Amino acid sequence: MTITAKKALLNYLEFLQSNGFICLDSDPLEALGPASGGGPGAPSAAHARPIVVHSAAKVDASPMTPPRPRNPATTSGSAGAAVPSAPSAVPGPPPAALRRELPQTWGAHLSRAERIQWIGDATARAETCRACQLGAQRNKLVYGDGDPEAKIVFVGEAPGGDENETGIPFVGRAGQLLNKMLNAIGFKRQEVFICNTLKCRPPGNRDPFPSEKAACEHFLTEQFYILRPQILVALGAHAAQYLCRSELPIGKLRGRWHEYRGIAVRATYHPAFLLRNGNFKPQSWDDFRAIHGRYVELNPGDPRPIWTK
Ligand code: SF4
């Protein structure tokens, strides 16, 4: 196995293990042998210990294969090797113990081109997913939309009727309101990433079943891995309860910061709810101002004009 393929495989195994999809009996770093590529005196492949993988998935996760290299010129894996490509400039992974403690490094090593490729491959996998009944009932998959290097990711509940027709999240009236709210804190829609906890529409816009959310969870976690945003914004109760790991109502989850695997989370009302209940808009505006404040604090060189009356 080449150095590039080893690094990519290490990163992916680490991601699977940190998300509870697998348990490794051995440190993959040791098992894969030295990252130096095997010069004179380096242990041979025959000395590398096998990686023993146990399924640790607590959900009905369909196989989450990493992206397939599309351009043989940029990858050095053997034919059919299913690992993400990594440029030679990518530094080697830190010690395994350190990596486990640094979830904020997720995806940080990925270039823009690699993120685009991985998103494309994940979308292709989701297109064929039938891990829950919604896969056979949807019209179009709604994987997500936006900047692959977005620092803010908005997470809604599930695609609605308009999304099911277009394959794009938040395109109806609720989406238009979300665009306005983004503009009000100095962002264009294409500067953030927008997705949902479910990638397929529940019929009649019913609430997702817990089994459906569990089946789809790995796609969302994978999106966070690829994007590694600074801020997650949960839109509505379902996304808020998922990201905050809480059963409290949205009214009790909004208005303060939470954390999801080292990423700051702000919960706020779903734009569709605000369309029906305009009197909650001031609270939502408070949440958006807090999101703006956190962004400016984390990115002092990127001031964003905020809308003022
Ligand atoms: S909702 Fe998610 S888990 Fe269910 S079929 Fe669609 S992509 Fe698969």
Side-chain angles (χ1 to χ4, degrees):
M1 185 182 292
T2 65
I3 301 171
T4 302
K6 276 182 187 174
K7 287 175 181 172
L9 184 53
L10 278 169
N11 283 329
Y12 192 65
L13 287 169
E14 178 68 12
F15 164 67
L16 291 176
Q17 181 164 247
S18 66
N19 282 279
F21 293 122
I22 60 171
C23 286
L24 300 176
D25 266 5
S26 55
D27 185 334
L29 199 59
E30 293 173 21
L32 286 174
S36 61
S44 68
H47 294 140
R49 291 190 285 119
I51 302 176
V52 181
V53 180
H54 301 288
S55 172
K58 53 186 180 300
V59 298
D60 180 19
S62 60
M64 186 167 62
T65 54
R68 300 174 298 282
R70 284 178 171 163
N71 181 0
T74 63
T75 60
S76 49
S78 58
V83 295
S85 62
S88 57
V90 172
L98 187 60
R99 277 181 279 138
R100 283 186 203 107
E101 293 165 11
L102 291 174
Q104 61 268 40
T105 60
W106 286 4
H109 61 286
L110 297 174
S111 68
R112 184 178 185 86
E114 287 172 320
R115 291 173 194 227
I116 292 170
Q117 177 184 324
W118 197 325
I119 289 171
D121 281 300
T123 304
R125 269 183 278 121
E127 289 277 7
T128 59
C129 177
R130 295 294 183 269
C132 78
Q133 59 186 330
L134 302 180
Q137 298 171 7
R138 68 164 183 245
N139 186 1
K140 284 198 173 166
L141 177 91
V142 186
Y143 180 77
D145 178 46
D147 184 354
E149 295 181 302
K151 293 189 168 69
I152 308 179
V153 171
F154 288 79
V155 184
E157 176 185 324
D162 292 324
E163 290 76 20
N164 190 44
E165 296 303 315
T166 61
I168 302 169
F170 285 86
V171 289
R173 287 181 61 225
Q176 290 165 17
L177 177 57
L178 177 60
N179 294 347
K180 284 182 188 169
M181 295 160 84
L182 283 171
N183 295 160
I185 59 169
F187 285 87
K188 295 177 187 152
R189 179 187 167 106
Q190 56 268 34
E191 293 178 304
V192 302
F193 196 90
I194 304 173
C195 59
N196 288 299
T197 56
L198 291 188
K199 310 307 178 199
C200 307
R201 183 197 186 203
N205 292 346
R206 65 160 167 77
D207 287 348
F209 297 146
S211 60
E212 293 164 347
K213 285 198 278 190
C216 210
E217 183 172 2
H218 67 94
F219 281 120
L220 187 63
T221 312
E222 185 183 21
Q223 284 178 313
F224 297 160
Y225 176 84
I226 301 167
L227 298 164
R228 215 293 147 198
Q230 293 175 333
I231 299 170
L232 293 171
V233 181
L235 299 169
H238 285 279
Q241 290 170 347
Y242 168 78
L243 292 179
C244 300
R245 295 299 193 214
S246 169
E247 294 185 355
L248 288 173
I250 181 68
K252 293 209 181 308
L253 291 173
R254 63 151 298 277
R256 56 196 168 100
W257 287 98
H258 305 265
E259 193 179 291
Y260 178 87
R261 296 177 186 255
I263 307 175
V265 176
R266 192 81 180 192
T268 191
Y269 294 112
H270 195 287
F273 173 81
L274 295 176
L275 288 173
R276 299 190 303 271
N277 304 276
N279 52 327
F280 284 87
K281 284 184 180 175
Q283 290 98 313
S284 190
W285 177 234
D286 286 344
D287 291 328
F288 270 70
R289 283 197 309 181
I291 293 161
H292 173 271
R294 175 63 75 96
Y295 179 87
V296 171
E297 186 185 311
L298 293 172
N299 303 277
D302 183 19
R304 297 278 172 163
I306 191 166
W307 179 79
T308 53
K309 285 184 184 174

